[in-house]
């Protein structure tokens, strides 16, 4: 059987390994496994969101409200935008796909950082677009401007903060860059980790309302998968001016979110006390990871997210480290697939992090 030739250049996305895989392959009891690979909230979802899932389980046989009225209204009030300036997706990555299909084709160019969220490239190549990357692994706006001026891309992706490295552009510098971009170029600001960045440094905060008021060609993407602890429910959203939203809605399949997802997201958004607890845990745990890296001589990216990236030099090898930890019930993310000798570790609870440090120390001692 033959397939679309655009698939030939696409690598299958590698998600963080699930707990179930470790149980199957290594026979480790599930309650002894710690997953610090997928940047999930270690405190879990809001108890109010969990209760909403339980209460609405009896409606699982019913299709959800396809207008998503209640969630759009809540998000519009939270961000002080209009409901018709919001689109809801099955994860923010679905809206990334909408953006690319709405704007790009085989003649298009799409600009992104050298190392950033892998799905930008996957969706770009799926439509046959040319992917343009900056020279530096981390976001460098000077390089972005030079690449923009040279290639005139149809779409620019800015991951603020950046996954999988953790750095974060300054909002003022970002806005200064955007002012130099033609209005026919779609700017995608991917803000999956914005809650963490804002909690650490207000100069990194991107205000969606301000963004779309100044830049009619920009869309802000947010998610309930990270700080809100609803990764398993798959809820993302985009905020942009109506022209962009109306174009994306033409690509949205019917009922792309579940009844339970909508109910959970609505309650999670209301429970900002839980969000503050989650952000505070993250801020409290980060210094331990930075201190560990300095003690061992590892390079790391100062992170504005709920994860940190460690870089290694030979003879240390990220794949060997990740495999060693995996066989002992500690799941972290190996970044070898990004061409880096590095690992990314989600910040967990104090006890989870303590286990990570213990196992890593053990690995270093056994070398």
């Amino acid at each position: 059987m033959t397939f679309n030739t655009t698939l030939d250049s696409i690598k299958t996305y590698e998600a963080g390994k699930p707990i179930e895989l470790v149980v199957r392959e290594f026979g480790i009891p599930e309650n002894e496994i710690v997953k610090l690979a997928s940047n999930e909230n270690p405190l879990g979802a809001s108890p109010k969101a969990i209760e909403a899932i339980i209460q609405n389980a009896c409606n699982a046989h019913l299709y959800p409200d396809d207008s998503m009225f209640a969630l759009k209204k809540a998000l519009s009030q939270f961000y002080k935008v209009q409901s018709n300036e919001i689109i809801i997706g099955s994860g923010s990555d679905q809206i990334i796909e909408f953006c690319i299909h709405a704007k790009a084709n085989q003649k298009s160019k799409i600009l992104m950082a050298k190392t950033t969220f892998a799905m930008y490239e996957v969706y770009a190549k799926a439509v046959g677009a040319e992917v343009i990357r900056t020279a530096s692994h981390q976001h460098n706006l000077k390089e972005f401007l030079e690449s923009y001026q040279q290639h005139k891309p149809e779409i620019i992706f800015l991951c603020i903060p950046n996954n999988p490295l953790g750095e974060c552009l300054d909002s003022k510098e970002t806005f200064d860059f955007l002012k130099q971009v033609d209005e026919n170029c779609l700017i995608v600001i991917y803000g999956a980790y914005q809650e963490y960045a804002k909690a650490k440094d207000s100069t990194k905060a991107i205000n969606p309302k301000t963004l779309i008021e100044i830049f009619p060609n920009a869309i802000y993407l947010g998610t309930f998968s990270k700080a809100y602890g609803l990764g398993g429910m798959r809820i993302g959203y985009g905020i942009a001016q109506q022209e962009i939203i109306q174009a994306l809605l033409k690509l949205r399949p019917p009922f792309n979110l579940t009844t339970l997802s909508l109910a959970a997201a609505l309650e999670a958004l209301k429970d900002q006390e839980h969000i503050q607890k989650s952000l505070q845990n993250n801020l409290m745990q980060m210094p331990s990871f930075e201190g560990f890296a300095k003690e061992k001589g590892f390079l790391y990216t100062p992170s504005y997210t709920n994860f940190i990236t460690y870089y290694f030099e030979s003879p240390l090898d990220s794949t060997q480290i990740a495999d060693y930890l995996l066989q002992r019930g500690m799941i972290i993310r190996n970044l070898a697939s990004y061409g880096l000798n590095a690992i990314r570790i989600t910040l967990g609870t104090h006890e989870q992090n303590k286990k990570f440090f213990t196992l890593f120390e053990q690995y270093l001692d056994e070398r």
Side-chain angles (χ1 to χ4, degrees):
M1 182 181 292
T2 59
F3 296 95
N4 192 321
T5 55
T6 58
L7 298 180
D8 295 342
S9 64
I10 298 176
K11 294 181 180 179
T12 302
Y13 178 76
E14 295 183 23
K17 289 181 170 58
I19 291 173
E20 293 81 0
L21 179 146
V22 182
V23 172
R24 290 195 305 269
E25 292 196 2
F26 303 109
I28 301 173
E30 184 173 337
N31 63 354
E32 295 180 12
I33 297 170
V34 176
K35 185 184 179 188
L36 301 179
S38 299
N39 307 334
E40 296 145 331
N41 186 335
L43 303 188
S46 159
K48 296 178 181 178
I50 295 172
E51 182 61 27
I53 294 170
I54 295 170
Q55 292 297 323
N56 283 274
C58 60
N59 295 322
H61 63 296
L62 299 175
Y63 284 112
D65 172 13
D66 198 45
S67 73
M68 306 183 194
F69 175 84
L71 182 55
K72 284 185 179 179
K73 181 180 179 181
L75 283 167
S76 72
Q77 292 173 343
F78 187 79
Y79 285 111
K80 297 179 173 57
V81 298
Q82 301 300 312
S83 290
N84 57 13
E85 294 174 326
I86 298 171
I87 184 171
I88 310 294
S90 179
S92 54
D93 54 309
Q94 185 179 50
I95 306 173
I96 293 170
E97 184 178 19
F98 294 163
C99 288
I100 290 177
H101 278 275
K103 185 67 177 171
N105 55 45
Q106 292 182 346
K107 298 179 181 179
S108 301
K109 297 178 180 180
I110 299 177
L111 176 61
M112 62 193 71
K114 183 176 181 179
T115 302
T116 192
F117 185 40
M119 293 310 296
Y120 305 154
E121 179 178 26
V122 170
Y123 291 134
K125 288 187 173 181
V127 300
E130 180 182 356
V131 173
I132 306 296
R133 293 186 180 273
T134 59
S136 300
H137 285 290
Q138 298 188 8
H139 281 60
N140 181 312
L141 288 177
K142 181 180 179 182
E143 292 179 4
F144 266 92
L145 182 58
E146 291 172 351
S147 294
Y148 167 74
Q149 292 172 338
Q150 178 182 354
H151 298 285
K152 297 298 181 184
E154 278 70 25
I155 304 175
I156 299 175
F157 282 101
L158 295 174
C159 195
I160 310 176
N162 187 28
N163 176 31
L165 302 183
E167 85 279 5
C168 189
L169 292 171
D170 179 85
S171 58
K172 182 182 183 302
E173 293 175 354
T174 301
F175 277 40
D176 288 342
F177 164 71
L178 297 185
K179 291 173 183 176
Q180 301 178 74
V181 175
D182 183 85
E183 287 192 1
N184 194 44
C185 177
L186 178 62
I187 305 291
V188 181
I189 302 293
Y190 191 59
Y193 300 90
Q194 265 287 303
E195 287 85 4
Y196 297 102
K198 288 186 288 187
K200 185 173 184 177
D201 185 347
S202 61
T203 68
K204 308 297 183 182
I206 300 291
N207 185 309
K209 176 180 172 63
T210 304
L211 176 72
I212 69 172
E213 285 178 346
I214 299 175
F215 305 105
N217 57 328
I219 181 169
Y220 175 93
L221 303 187
T223 184
F224 285 90
S225 295
K226 305 305 178 186
Y228 285 90
L230 292 175
M233 304 304 288
R234 308 303 298 127
I235 317 141
Y237 54 91
I239 300 174
Q241 288 195 12
Q242 291 182 45
E243 180 185 22
I244 294 176
I245 297 299
Q246 289 304 313
L248 302 186
L249 285 172
K250 294 179 179 180
L251 298 165
R252 186 185 71 85
F255 310 114
N256 62 321
L257 252 71
T258 70
T259 300
L260 302 185
S261 296
L262 290 169
L266 187 60
E267 292 305 315
L269 187 63
K270 293 177 183 177
D271 193 357
Q272 289 299 309
E273 182 179 347
H274 181 74
I275 295 300
Q276 292 307 311
K277 288 180 181 178
S278 300
L279 298 178
Q280 188 61 33
N281 175 74
N282 196 70
L283 290 171
M284 289 175 61
Q285 299 304 319
M286 185 66 77
S288 298
F289 283 87
E290 294 173 339
F292 185 83
K294 292 174 183 176
E295 178 188 339
K296 303 303 178 184
F298 304 148
L299 294 177
Y300 68 92
T301 297
S303 177
Y304 293 85
T305 66
N306 65 336
F307 61 82
I308 191 168
T309 298
Y310 287 171
Y311 304 87
F312 307 113
E313 295 182 356
S314 182
L316 289 179
D317 179 82
S318 65
T319 300
Q320 293 179 5
I321 293 168
D323 288 347
Y324 179 93
L325 295 174
L326 185 67
Q327 293 172 29
R328 289 155 181 79
M330 173 62 62
I331 312 173
I332 53 90
R333 185 63 184 267
N334 179 17
L335 297 185
S337 61
Y338 286 86
L340 295 170
N341 186 17
I343 61 173
R344 187 190 69 190
I345 314 105
T346 305
L347 274 61
T349 63
H350 175 74
E351 289 303 315
Q352 290 173 330
N353 299 337
K354 184 178 179 181
K355 183 173 182 178
F356 167 78
F357 295 134
T358 299
L359 287 173
F360 205 161
E361 287 268 17
Q362 184 176 306
Y363 169 79
L364 294 173
D365 290 342
E366 292 179 9
R367 285 182 61 253

